[in-house]
Amino acid sequence: MIKNYFKIAWRNLWKNKGFSMINITGLATGMCGAILIFTWIQNELSFDRFHKNADDLYKVWNRSDKDAGNNVYTWDITSAPIAPELKQKFPEVKAAARVYWPNERLFNYKGKSIIATGLDVDPQFLSMFSFPMVNGTERALDDPKGIVLTVSLAKRIFGTENPTDKLLRLNDKENYKVTGIISDPPANTQFQFDYLVSLEPMIGTSEANSWGNASFNTYVQLQPGANAALLDKKIKNLLKEHDAALHFGIFLHPAKKWHLNSKFENGVAVGGAIETVRLLFAIAALILLIACINFMNLSTAQSEKRGKEVGVRKVMGANRFAIIKQFLTESILITCIAGVFAIVLVQLTLPAFRELTGVKLLINYKNPYLWLAGFGFILFTGLLAGSYPAFYLSAFRPVKMLKGLFKSKARVISPRKVLVVTQFTVAIVLIIATIIIYQQINYVQSRDNGYVRNNLVEHPINGSIGKNFDVIKNELLSSGVASAVSKTSMPVTIDGSSTSGLNWGNMDANHKNVSFSRFATDGDFVKTFGFKLLAGRDIDFNKFPSDSAAVIINEASVQAMGFKDPIGQIISLGDNRLKIVGVIKNFIIGSPSQAVNPMLVFGSKNWYYNALTFRLNPNQSTSSGLKTAEAIFKKYNPAYPFQYHFVDQAYAEKFKNEQRTGKIAFTFSALTILISCLGLFGLAAYMAENRAKEIGIRKVLGAGIVNLMQLLTRDFVMLVLVSVAIAAPIGWWFMNKWLQDFNYRIQISWTIFLYSGIVAVAIAVVTVSFQAAGAAMANPIKSIKTE
């Protein structure tokens, strides 16, 4: 019997090639979209879940006291003493490790020079986290001068040579011994590295061991069965016990929430990436549902052709259950064929989807669970898609079927119309979302960033650049390559350091917890970056040797401190008294969508500087200037390559997440519209089939093709307009909620909904017109005559 079901199903598919192709295309497209999204979701859910100690791993976070505005801030950069203190004083803690990341180093071996990025970690890192050792043990970092290489980096450096116990020269000044080889970290972990070294040499200074100096991430592994909530209460005021001037405490964040639940508001976890996972899961389910709806529409549209077949079957003794099985078999067969095409589409579109999401997604076809899940997915889709047509067609009486009297009467509201309205409502909401996202991106990109990005070139301070900075600066200027040069503690596009606990004249007690972004420079800061100086002067050690006690502040700092005339005012940071010598306009170092934080720019000759920035001379060509600059850097830092990048490109990276969101919204909008159009095409076919005789009579009585097309498209336009009316408030609500995450945001205009409605109506009219034109131009004799 099953064989007979499949034989009849295949004959019907072959007989109705056009409808079958549309069905298969719609289902394959929907299944492809759903599979891609589910693959991405699976990757997101698996982040750092593969560690054998995942249930006992926690990250230490800071939580501030309430500030003047009752705000509570959280951040995950901690001070060095926390890890050993937790391990020594609290028996619940089995192990603790600090991580400093990322750290870029130069590797030299037998004349080969390679720059790689790695992590400085405590030796316990290897036992706490499950990164398999290919060679060596979990004690590979007990030697402060030992280094663990990933398989890929070891191959780049040593080729086929055995790297164990080989000596590598790092940063052209220290020798490290290879004590282990570790597997490359998978894509689904926050720990991405080429090598691991011990951070013991880094924490030897008193500054690094200060309770108030936050430079590391701290991770702890609790004893099995330890109560994390109880330990949280014990360690809450640990920092204040060691330094009363600190106005924040610490708490533990579990490993299973690191990736998906690390968004905090006023000190409380409120979600994070999990919101995107839930949203995309809903979109995947919706896409699949819409594809199934199309199948239902197209199947019921052929009801008249299949009605007599069903009637004959019933007269010959077939019961309703047998007919349901027949139609479900057809549905599953179509879904299986669509599933094969969907897998092909997935393979063809996976590279583009990887680029779209920025995630290295892989599908392991050797995994038997994947095929089991795939079979279940196809079976579920087939049953869902075929359920309505099966129960719909099997419910009619055979007499009515054989007489052709079983067609449902036209109703103002029918399940099929509701489904089409639902489809287009989803599509229009996505169109609205896409427009708003791109408007927000353009709005933020056009925001004044506070400095002149053009012709700014940044180079890391590595190797001999630090000690040769003055001569490099002089040659860049004297050669005409640069018009200004400055070195800073951090690149100007990175908000990598902050401080609090400042004091100033007439300070309100509530301002003790105000956090200031922190920069340091040795001079020419304003001149090099093109900041707008609102008052005072730049830091200049040539003219003012005492500028090691000078500080420049921004507009946000002036507002936070409440100064009417800030120039000359004294602020205290611990034992240091600093004099405000300049005020600059706010400039963006964090997210362009957020408000600019108060900022301090210290003058210092002895700071730990990370970036050298110079402004290219506009009178020289860029290529010529960079070529000369490369020669200067190679002259005074020969061991290192010329690692420059343009500041405007680094600034553009800040928009990557929003741009990716916009592309994803656009892609799924297009996919949903495509599938919805197939559904609309199905409904148009059904309506044209039902009204074939009416159209024929109208045509005989003199109705023109244009009039008939208007008659057939009018109902569909009304359905789309209903969708617009429903989608507008839904789209406004969702996108208004999305925009709340941005301090600097657009106002949603009514024109967005107008444009979205026009686009939706135009798409609907074009889609239906093909079917309407075919019906209107059909020979009326064929549609009027009765067999």
Side-chain angles (χ1 to χ4, degrees):
M1 184 62 72
I2 296 295
K3 181 180 178 181
N4 187 52
Y5 285 159
F6 276 103
K7 184 184 293 185
I8 295 172
W10 178 256
R11 287 173 179 172
N12 280 316
L13 286 178
W14 192 252
K15 181 180 178 182
N16 302 289
K17 300 183 186 68
F19 277 102
S20 298
M21 185 58 65
I22 294 172
N23 263 333
I24 292 170
T25 302
L27 281 174
T29 304
M31 292 170 71
C32 173
I35 291 170
L36 288 173
I37 294 175
F38 288 146
T39 302
W40 178 86
I41 289 174
Q42 189 275 332
N43 179 76
E44 292 293 294
L45 294 176
S46 67
F47 251 74
D48 285 314
R49 298 291 184 94
F50 59 87
H51 301 296
K52 62 182 179 182
N53 303 315
D55 291 337
D56 299 317
L57 290 174
Y58 293 81
K59 189 177 188 179
V60 180
W61 278 62
N62 302 286
R63 182 187 284 120
S64 73
D65 298 337
K66 289 184 178 180
D67 65 8
N70 285 325
N71 298 308
V72 177
Y73 301 97
T74 53
W75 63 100
D76 62 354
I77 307 298
T78 54
S79 56
I82 290 178
E85 183 82 359
L86 291 174
K87 177 66 175 69
Q88 294 169 13
K89 298 290 181 66
F90 299 92
E92 298 95 331
V93 178
K94 181 178 181 180
R98 294 158 294 192
V99 176
Y100 183 84
W101 47 343
N103 213 339
E104 194 175 74
R105 286 181 169 93
L106 175 72
F107 289 75
N108 292 108
Y109 180 74
K110 291 184 178 179
K112 184 184 293 184
S113 296
I114 292 174
I115 288 181
T117 303
L119 308 178
D120 293 52
V121 300
D122 280 317
Q124 293 83 0
F125 179 88
L126 290 173
S127 61
M128 291 171 61
F129 297 95
S130 301
F131 297 108
M133 296 293 295
V134 177
N135 194 355
T137 69
E138 293 177 349
R139 310 218 27 168
L141 293 178
D142 286 357
D143 181 357
K145 291 296 183 181
I147 185 169
V148 174
L149 306 178
T150 60
V151 172
S152 57
L153 180 59
K155 187 175 182 180
R156 287 172 60 197
I157 297 174
F158 297 101
T160 58
E161 192 177 346
N162 183 7
T164 305
D165 294 332
K166 293 288 194 306
L167 290 179
L168 287 172
R169 186 124 180 113
L170 268 61
N171 292 339
D172 202 34
K173 61 181 180 181
E174 296 177 298
N175 290 326
Y176 276 71
K177 183 170 71 173
V178 178
T179 54
I181 303 298
I182 198 168
S183 298
D184 290 0
N188 59 338
T189 176
Q190 62 175 288
F191 301 102
Q192 298 297 324
F193 55 86
D194 296 318
Y195 66 87
L196 299 172
V197 295
S198 171
L199 56 68
E200 184 177 323
M202 182 184 294
I203 59 176
T205 64
S206 58
E207 182 182 354
N209 283 286
S210 166
W211 286 91
N213 183 27
S215 302
F216 306 92
N217 287 136
T218 300
Y219 300 88
V220 296
Q221 178 186 343
L222 301 190
Q223 299 285 359
N227 190 323
L230 186 60
L231 181 59
D232 257 352
K233 294 179 181 179
K234 292 182 180 180
I235 67 175
K236 178 180 178 181
N237 296 315
L238 182 65
L239 299 181
K240 296 177 183 178
E241 293 171 5
H242 289 274
D243 188 344
L246 299 177
H247 300 281
F248 52 92
I250 58 175
F251 66 97
L252 302 178
H253 192 49
K256 292 185 176 180
K257 294 186 177 182
W258 290 346
H259 183 66
L260 297 177
N261 300 89
S262 289
K263 178 183 177 182
F264 291 85
E265 289 181 4
N266 279 329
V268 179
V270 294
I274 188 64
E275 297 168 4
T276 305
V277 169
R278 290 168 181 161
L279 176 63
L280 286 182
F281 179 83
I283 290 175
L286 214 52
I287 288 173
L288 192 60
L289 179 62
I290 288 172
C292 292
I293 289 171
N294 290 343
F295 181 92
M296 297 173 189
N297 283 342
L298 288 169
S299 296
T300 53
Q302 300 179 80
S303 58
E304 186 172 328
K305 296 178 181 178
R306 302 296 302 275
K308 291 183 180 180
E309 173 196 334
V310 173
V312 171
R313 285 178 178 276
K314 282 195 171 185
V315 169
M316 297 297 293
N319 58 30
R320 186 180 182 188
F321 182 66
I323 294 171
I324 289 174
K325 285 194 294 183
Q326 170 65 48
F327 281 103
L328 288 180
T329 302
E330 289 186 25
S331 173
I332 292 172
L333 177 61
I334 292 175
T335 308
C336 288
I337 297 171
V340 173
F341 280 104
I343 292 172
V344 174
L345 285 174
V346 166
Q347 283 301 111
L348 292 175
T349 57
L350 189 58
F353 190 69
R354 287 193 194 113
E355 186 176 348
L356 181 67
T357 59
V359 179
K360 297 178 181 178
L361 297 172
L362 295 174
I363 299 178
N364 182 13
Y365 290 106
K366 296 180 180 180
N367 186 350
Y369 293 106
L370 175 69
W371 291 104
L372 185 63
F375 176 76
F377 179 72
I378 289 174
L379 183 63
F380 170 79
T381 305
L383 292 175
L384 180 65
S387 58
Y388 179 62
F391 287 98
Y392 172 80
L393 289 174
S394 64
F396 294 106
R397 295 179 181 178
V399 174
K400 288 187 176 181
M401 289 183 172
L402 293 173
K403 289 183 176 181
L405 302 174
F406 65 95
K407 290 185 287 183
S408 59
K409 297 179 180 179
R411 290 177 290 176
V412 176
I413 299 176
S414 66
R416 196 172 298 107
K417 291 180 180 179
V418 170
L419 293 176
V420 171
V421 168
T422 302
Q423 287 179 319
F424 267 85
T425 298
V426 174
I428 295 166
V429 167
L430 287 174
I431 292 172
I432 292 170
T434 303
I435 294 173
I436 291 176
I437 289 169
Y438 277 106
Q439 283 191 350
Q440 173 66 15
I441 293 171
N442 292 332
Y443 183 68
V444 174
Q445 283 181 328
S446 63
R447 182 182 180 185
D448 182 9
N449 67 313
Y451 59 96
V452 182
R453 299 192 304 270
N454 295 339
N455 293 324
L456 268 184
V457 180
E458 212 163 56
H459 193 288
I461 295 180
N462 51 25
S464 302
I465 292 178
K467 67 179 182 181
N468 292 324
F469 171 76
D470 289 335
V471 66
I472 292 174
K473 177 179 179 178
N474 289 334
E475 287 209 21
L476 287 171
L477 294 172
S478 62
S479 65
V481 169
S483 58
V485 183
S486 180
K487 62 179 177 180
T488 54
S489 54
M490 298 291 292
V492 74
T493 53
I494 298 176
D495 190 4
S497 181
S498 63
T499 188
S500 59
L502 274 72
N503 291 283
W504 56 88
N506 299 321
M507 185 183 74
D508 190 311
N510 291 326
H511 287 98
K512 286 184 178 180
N513 298 334
V514 174
S515 179
F516 291 80
S517 296
R518 182 171 62 172
F519 262 79
T521 180
D522 76 329
D524 289 340
F525 185 69
V526 174
K527 180 181 179 182
T528 302
F529 291 96
F531 298 117
K532 185 175 181 180
L533 195 61
L534 303 178
R537 60 176 177 82
D538 198 354
I539 289 173
D540 189 337
F541 281 93
N542 292 325
K543 294 181 180 179
F544 305 96
S546 62
D547 269 1
S548 56
V551 65
I552 295 174
I553 63 175
N554 66 350
E555 293 173 288
S557 293
V558 175
Q559 185 176 2
M561 295 176 178
F563 289 138
K564 292 183 179 179
D565 184 12
I567 302 301
Q569 297 284 351
I570 302 298
I571 59 177
S572 299
L573 180 59
D575 296 330
N576 298 317
R577 288 172 55 82
L578 305 169
K579 182 180 179 180
I580 299 175
V581 299
V583 177
I584 59 175
K585 185 177 180 180
N586 286 341
F587 72 93
I588 300 170
I589 54 173
S591 169
S593 302
Q594 305 301 327
V596 175
N597 292 331
M599 177 181 295
L600 305 174
V601 181
F602 299 92
S604 176
K605 283 289 185 181
N606 302 314
W607 206 280
Y608 182 74
Y609 287 104
N610 286 287
L612 181 155
T613 307
F614 60 95
R615 182 171 295 280
L616 286 171
N617 189 338
N619 297 323
Q620 287 192 15
S621 68
T622 301
S623 58
S624 174
L626 290 175
K627 187 175 181 180
T628 305
E630 181 178 11
I632 294 171
F633 277 87
K634 292 295 290 182
K635 179 179 177 182
Y636 295 103
N637 194 33
Y640 285 76
F642 183 47
Q643 296 173 266
Y644 76 93
H645 68 266
F646 289 96
V647 171
D648 56 356
Q649 293 176 347
Y651 184 79
E653 287 290 310
K654 293 178 179 293
F655 303 96
K656 182 174 285 187
N657 287 337
E658 286 80 6
Q659 288 172 336
R660 183 174 291 130
T661 301
K663 290 178 181 178
I664 290 174
F666 175 79
T667 301
F668 288 122
S669 294
L671 186 62
T672 306
I673 290 169
L674 173 63
I675 299 174
S676 298
C677 287
L678 288 173
L680 202 61
F681 185 86
L683 184 57
Y686 171 79
M687 296 293 287
E689 184 177 277
N690 268 4
R691 303 177 69 175
K693 290 186 177 181
E694 175 194 345
I695 293 169
I697 293 171
R698 286 178 179 272
K699 197 168 184 181
V700 168
L701 294 176
I705 292 177
V706 174
N707 301 112
L708 293 173
M709 288 183 66
Q710 287 176 345
L711 176 70
L712 290 172
T713 57
R714 182 176 57 208
D715 292 340
F716 300 109
V717 171
M718 291 303 298
L719 291 177
V720 175
L721 290 176
V722 171
S723 299
V724 172
I726 297 172
I730 296 174
W732 178 88
W733 185 84
F734 274 111
M735 295 315 296
N736 187 60
K737 187 176 180 181
W738 180 73
L739 288 170
Q740 297 309 308
D741 289 334
F742 305 101
N743 295 117
Y744 192 81
R745 57 180 179 264
I746 63 169
Q747 296 296 321
I748 300 178
S749 170
W750 63 270
T751 56
I752 293 173
F753 307 107
L754 176 63
Y755 296 149
S756 300
I758 291 172
V759 169
V761 170
I763 291 171
V765 169
V766 171
T767 303
V768 175
S769 293
F770 288 103
Q771 193 65 249
M777 291 187 292
N779 188 342
I781 304 298
K782 291 183 179 181
S783 58
I784 294 174
K785 74 177 182 179
T786 304
E787 293 181 9

